[in-house]
Amino acid sequence: MEIIGYAAAVLIGISLGLIGGGGSILTVPVLVYLFGIDAFLATEYSLFVVGISSLAGSVDYFKKGLVNFKIALLFGIPSVVFIFLTRIYLLPVIPEEIFRTQKFILTRNIFLLLIFAVLMILASYTMIRKNTSEKPLGNNENKSNILLLAGQGAIVGFLTGLVGAGGGFMIIPALVNLLKTPMKKAIGTSLVIISFNSLIGFVFSVSHMKIDWGLLLSIAGIAIAGIIIGSQWSKKIDGKKLKPAFGWFILIMGIYIVIKEIFL
């Protein structure tokens, strides 16, 4: 299963390089189901894998001037605040066993995976639907949109802190729809935000976890290779054309997790 897991890590990186998000939503399921890592620990591993691979992928976009650091800060600051609050104060108080019935026990691991499944289903919708609102950045950068962007940043920070998802499936639509950021710049900026959020989230809680650094670094290294491949492919392949197909794949995976954790 580990061989399949490493292959999936490449796919995660390629997705991040091509469409700036989406792949990170697969990281925790890959770690749990293919590498056999505890779901709680997998959220920590995911932060590192997603953060370091997104950082590597953002370099090429930065060199091309396709990163808006002002937007990254507007989005990133509230994200980091909520990542800190979630990982330091919320996650530690979630009990190992949340509740039980005669036929079902909701453990912390199942709870986190079900949240992840819901996020995957939501992410699939943003990828499958057609978006025709991509326009150059103009007068739409008003105060109300900036406040909405900061609010989205807080939501992404909460989800990143809770389940280790990068949040690219929420970041890119926010940048494109609220601030009318061109898609390529939205992808580059998204990668910077994801790397910033994820690595800071990892630092916040790494001291409380027992990390298998050999395994973690090998997965991250393969994901970085994938994101470099994806970034190169993005020069020849329109990521928007691949996005719906990837969205359907994530939808199927999300439904599978719900069925597996509740009924199997």
Side-chain angles (χ1 to χ4, degrees):
M1 293 298 284
E2 284 193 4
I3 294 175
I4 300 173
Y6 286 121
V10 176
L11 178 62
I12 290 166
I14 289 173
S15 164
L16 283 166
L18 273 175
I19 62 178
S24 61
I25 202 75
L26 289 174
T27 308
V28 166
V30 165
L31 293 170
V32 171
Y33 295 122
L34 298 180
F35 287 98
I37 296 172
D38 173 84
F40 187 69
L41 182 59
T43 65
E44 182 74 9
Y45 278 33
S46 176
L47 289 171
F48 182 82
V49 172
V50 171
I52 203 73
S53 56
S54 297
L55 182 63
S58 68
V59 172
D60 192 46
Y61 286 91
F62 172 73
K63 290 179 180 178
K64 295 174 182 176
L66 295 174
V67 175
N68 188 320
F69 285 102
K70 178 183 176 182
I71 292 175
L73 284 174
L74 287 172
F75 204 104
I77 290 173
S79 289
V80 168
V81 171
F82 274 80
I83 289 169
F84 173 79
L85 293 174
T86 302
R87 292 204 75 83
I88 299 300
Y89 296 107
L90 178 59
L91 268 183
V93 301
I94 299 176
E96 289 285 346
E97 183 179 308
I98 298 173
F99 77 85
R100 70 163 61 212
T101 65
Q102 289 183 341
K103 296 182 178 180
F104 180 72
I105 302 174
L106 181 64
T107 64
R108 181 174 62 182
N109 283 351
I110 293 175
F111 175 68
L112 292 174
L113 288 170
L114 289 176
I115 291 176
F116 227 98
V118 171
L119 288 178
M120 293 175 81
I121 292 168
L122 292 174
S124 70
Y125 171 73
T126 66
M127 294 178 188
I128 293 168
R129 69 172 182 166
K130 292 183 179 179
N131 191 340
T132 58
S133 60
E134 179 187 338
K135 297 176 183 176
L137 181 63
N139 295 326
N140 292 283
E141 192 177 356
N142 55 45
K143 288 184 179 180
S144 62
N145 281 351
I146 288 174
L147 287 174
L148 285 172
L149 189 73
Q152 291 251 16
I155 294 170
V156 168
F158 169 72
L159 295 175
T160 299
L162 185 64
V163 294
F169 70 95
M170 291 180 64
I171 297 171
I172 290 178
L175 300 186
V176 172
N177 296 329
L178 294 178
L179 299 184
K180 307 305 178 189
T181 308
M183 182 60 75
K184 288 287 186 181
K185 183 166 283 191
I187 291 173
T189 306
S190 171
L191 288 172
V192 169
I193 294 168
I194 291 169
S195 60
F196 184 66
N197 287 354
S198 300
L199 290 175
I200 288 180
F202 179 79
V203 170
F204 281 154
S205 52
V206 67
S207 61
H208 305 294
M209 303 282 185
K210 185 177 180 181
I211 305 294
D212 182 346
W213 284 103
L215 176 63
L216 183 57
L217 290 173
S218 64
I219 295 171
I222 290 173
I224 289 171
I227 203 168
I228 293 171
I229 293 169
S231 297
Q232 294 301 312
W233 283 0
S234 69
K235 299 173 184 177
K236 301 177 182 179
I237 301 172
D238 187 354
K240 288 184 290 183
K241 293 180 180 178
L242 297 177
K243 206 170 183 181
F246 194 70
W248 284 108
F249 174 70
I250 287 180
L251 175 62
I252 293 168
M253 287 297 298
I255 293 171
Y256 167 77
I257 291 173
V258 172
I259 293 172
K260 184 179 187 304
E261 297 301 327
I262 295 179
F263 301 108
L264 299 182

